[in-house]
Amino acid sequence: MNKTPFVTKEKLDQIIADYPTPFHIYDEKGIRQNIKALQDAFSWNTGYKEYFAVKANANPFLIKIMQECGCGCDCSSMTELMLADALGFKGEDIMFSSNATPAEEYAFASQIGATINLDDITHIDFLEHITALPKTLCCRFNPGGLFQMSNGIMDNPGDAKYGMTTEQIFEAFRILKAKGVEHFGIHAFLASNTVTNEYYPMLAKVLFELAVNLKKQTGANITFINLSGGIGIPYTPDEMPNDIAVIGDEVRKVYQEVLVPAGMDHIALYTELGRYITGPFGALVTTAIHQKHIHKEYIGCDACAVNLMRPAMYGAYHHITVMGKENDSCDHKYDITGSLCENNDKFAIDRILPKIDTGDVLYIHDTGAHGFSMGYNYNGKLKSAEILLHEDGSYQLIRRAETPKDYFATFDCFDIIPDLCQ
C-alpha cells in the first residue's frame, strides 16, 4: 500500500527553485477541511469547541487558520500563551494546560483570562498565592492503572506524571467550591495517538461518570468536559484512519446515556486535537545528497533529526515517497539518514523503496504535528523553512530557514564572538 503526497513533483520543483530543501510544507485545504469535519462531528453539542494544541505546531500562520475556523488554542507554556494573546485570541478561547508550572506563567494566564487547567491539587494554594482564584477552573484527572481497548491499544495513566487521582480531584472540587470558584471543568488524556474509533467514547464515559459523581458529592457546577487529544493518525499506509463522524456520534450516545439522565445536558465538550488536525497535512521535503555503500546501503539527506525528531526519538515510522518515482518498482533497501553525529539520525531503517539517485527529492509524510515543533539545534544544525500551500495552488514562506546568526543570537550580550552575532 502507498500514501499519496498532497503536492505534485512539478509544484515541489517550482517551490524548491525559490526555497531550497529541506523545508516543511503544509496543505491549507486539507487542514481546513479536516477542522470542518471535526466540528461537524460534534455539532450536536451546543457548546463544543476545538482548542488546537499549539505544541503540535506553533507556526502563527497555521494558528491563524485555526482561529478563522473558530478554534481556540490549548497552550502549555509562557511563549504559547504569548503567541495566542498576540494573535488576538480572547481569554475564553485559550486553555492553559501545563505541569510543574512556574508562577509567572500562571500569573500571565490569569492576566489574559485564559481558562486554567490545574494539573495537581497542590497547585490550588500555589495559584492562590499568585493571583485571585478565577470564577472558572478546570482540573486534570488521572485515574491510574492501565487504559485498554478491545483492539489491544492501551496506555498507562498510572505511569504518567499528569493529573490528579480520583480522591484528589474530589477534594480539589470541594476546596475550590469553598473558595468561591463557580464554574468547573474536567480534563483527561489517557492514551496517545490512538487509531481506533473506540478511544474517545471510552474516555468520554469515564469523564461523564466522574462528572455525575462530582456533581452529586460536591455540588460543583460542571460546565465543560475537555476530552483533550489522543485521536491519532495512520502513519503507516496499511492503517485505517479514524472516522471522526463515527467518533462524534459514539460520544453523543454516551452523553445521552450518562449526562442527560443526570440533568447535565448543558455541559459543553472541548477537544485538543493537534496531531489529528495538522499531522497528515504536513510533510518534510528533503533532497538526497549522498549515497554510501558499506555494510548497508545509505542515502544521506540534507534534512536530519533536527528537522524531524520522531524517528530518532521514538523509532516512529514516517512513510517516504521518492518524488517522480511513485510508480517505479520498490526493489532497493535503504537506511535514509541525516548528517548528525548520532547513529539514530535515521528517517527510515531497511526501508524498501525505488532506486534513489543523488538529487532525488524525498517527501516524508505526516510531519504536520510534532515535526518542526520538536526541532532543536544539536550539532549546530539549523531549523528549516516552512511553506504553506494555499488552496488556490499558490505557496507562501511562513517561516524562513534559520541562519548562523540565529544560532549565535543568545551570545549577543557578550564580546566573545561578536562577529558571529552580527
Side-chain angles (χ1 to χ4, degrees):
M1 297 181 68
N2 227 321
K3 280 176 171 275
T4 303
F6 57 73
V7 61
T8 64
K9 182 180 185 300
E10 291 71 27
K11 177 61 71 173
L12 274 184
D13 288 343
Q14 183 183 355
I15 296 171
I16 291 169
D18 291 330
Y19 306 108
T21 59
F23 56 76
H24 285 268
I25 186 168
Y26 306 104
D27 178 20
E28 179 182 5
K29 180 180 180 180
I31 291 171
R32 288 185 182 274
Q33 289 179 341
N34 209 30
I35 293 171
K36 185 178 186 304
L38 171 64
Q39 292 170 333
D40 287 348
F42 286 90
S43 60
W44 55 266
N45 182 258
T46 304
Y48 171 75
K49 192 174 187 70
E50 159 63 21
Y51 288 83
F52 177 73
V54 176
K55 61 181 174 288
N57 194 316
N59 190 293
F61 288 88
L62 300 183
I63 303 297
K64 286 295 288 185
I65 292 175
M66 313 300 162
Q67 188 177 41
E68 291 168 6
C69 292
C71 299
C73 282
D74 167 56
C75 301
S76 57
S77 69
M78 175 69 86
T79 49
E80 290 180 359
L81 287 169
M82 292 171 67
L83 176 61
D85 184 54
L87 290 174
F89 286 88
K90 304 302 181 185
E92 64 272 14
D93 293 327
I94 304 172
M95 286 286 300
F96 182 49
S97 298
S98 60
N99 64 97
T101 310
E104 59 269 22
E105 297 190 7
Y106 271 143
F108 186 68
S110 177
Q111 177 187 325
I112 64 175
T115 300
I116 293 173
N117 182 22
L118 293 176
D119 181 64
D120 189 68
I121 192 169
T122 63
H123 289 197
I124 297 173
D125 288 341
F126 187 77
L127 179 61
E128 197 171 22
H129 279 97
I130 298 163
T131 183
L133 293 178
K135 296 299 182 184
T136 299
L137 269 175
C138 185
C139 290
R140 187 166 185 169
F141 175 56
N142 182 337
L146 295 176
F147 190 81
Q148 187 166 3
M149 289 161 277
S150 63
N151 63 356
I153 294 174
M154 66 165 61
D155 218 317
N156 186 1
D159 198 38
K161 66 175 181 176
Y162 311 107
M164 305 181 195
T165 67
T166 302
E167 296 77 12
Q168 287 173 341
I169 199 168
F170 276 85
E171 183 64 16
F173 270 49
R174 293 187 186 97
I175 293 171
L176 291 169
K177 188 169 183 288
K179 288 179 178 291
V181 174
E182 297 176 0
H183 309 290
F184 290 81
I186 306 171
H187 174 286
F189 179 89
L190 303 186
S192 179
N193 192 39
T194 61
V195 188
T196 168
N197 295 334
E198 285 186 75
Y199 171 61
Y200 246 29
M202 290 182 68
L203 171 66
K205 187 168 186 179
V206 170
L207 295 186
F208 294 171
E209 290 175 347
L210 175 65
V212 171
N213 289 330
L214 282 166
K215 172 70 173 178
K216 287 179 180 177
Q217 295 189 34
T218 70
N221 177 28
I222 300 169
T223 57
F224 68 88
I225 293 174
N226 191 331
L227 300 174
S228 67
I231 295 180
I233 62 174
Y235 285 101
T236 62
D238 58 337
E239 286 181 303
M240 290 295 294
N242 288 302
D243 188 328
I244 199 63
V246 169
I247 291 171
D249 192 54
E250 291 299 313
V251 172
R252 178 190 61 80
K253 292 176 183 176
V254 180
Y255 191 97
Q256 292 179 335
E257 172 192 332
V258 179
L259 292 179
V260 172
M264 301 174 72
D265 55 347
H266 64 284
I267 289 180
L269 298 185
Y270 300 159
T271 56
E272 298 169 355
L273 296 173
R275 188 195 311 264
Y276 177 79
I277 288 177
T278 58
F281 306 105
L284 174 60
V285 181
T286 181
T287 301
I289 59 174
H290 288 289
Q291 299 182 41
K292 187 170 186 176
H293 315 287
I294 52 170
H295 308 292
K296 301 181 73 173
E297 294 294 306
Y298 294 95
I299 298 296
C301 300
D302 59 2
C304 63
V306 162
N307 309 108
L308 179 64
M309 189 195 294
R310 296 187 73 253
M313 188 174 186
Y314 304 124
Y317 180 96
H318 281 265
H319 200 65
I320 297 175
T321 295
V322 184
M323 299 302 290
K325 297 183 176 180
E326 294 88 345
N327 297 319
D328 289 9
S329 297
C330 293
D331 51 10
H332 286 64
K333 183 190 291 186
Y334 296 111
D335 281 14
I336 309 297
T337 80
S339 58
L340 291 188
C341 298
E342 292 289 342
N343 199 44
N344 67 351
D345 181 22
K346 297 179 179 181
F347 297 116
I349 297 173
D350 294 333
R351 188 71 61 86
I352 305 299
L353 292 165
K355 182 179 183 297
I356 298 176
D357 298 302
T358 301
D360 280 346
V361 173
L362 308 185
Y363 177 104
I364 303 178
H365 292 253
D366 302 316
T367 71
H370 311 290
F372 183 98
S373 64
M374 292 180 72
Y376 59 122
N377 288 115
Y378 179 63
N379 261 183
K381 295 293 184 178
L382 304 175
K383 297 178 186 177
S384 69
E386 293 181 289
I387 310 291
L388 180 61
L389 181 65
H390 290 296
E391 294 179 276
D392 63 2
S394 63
Y395 55 90
Q396 176 187 3
L397 180 71
I398 58 173
R399 189 194 302 266
R400 65 166 174 80
E402 286 185 335
T403 67
K405 181 180 176 181
D406 297 312
Y407 181 77
F408 294 112
T410 51
F411 297 105
D412 61 359
C413 56
F414 306 106
D415 293 331
I416 184 170
I417 47 172
D419 293 343
L420 294 178
C421 299
Q422 300 304 312

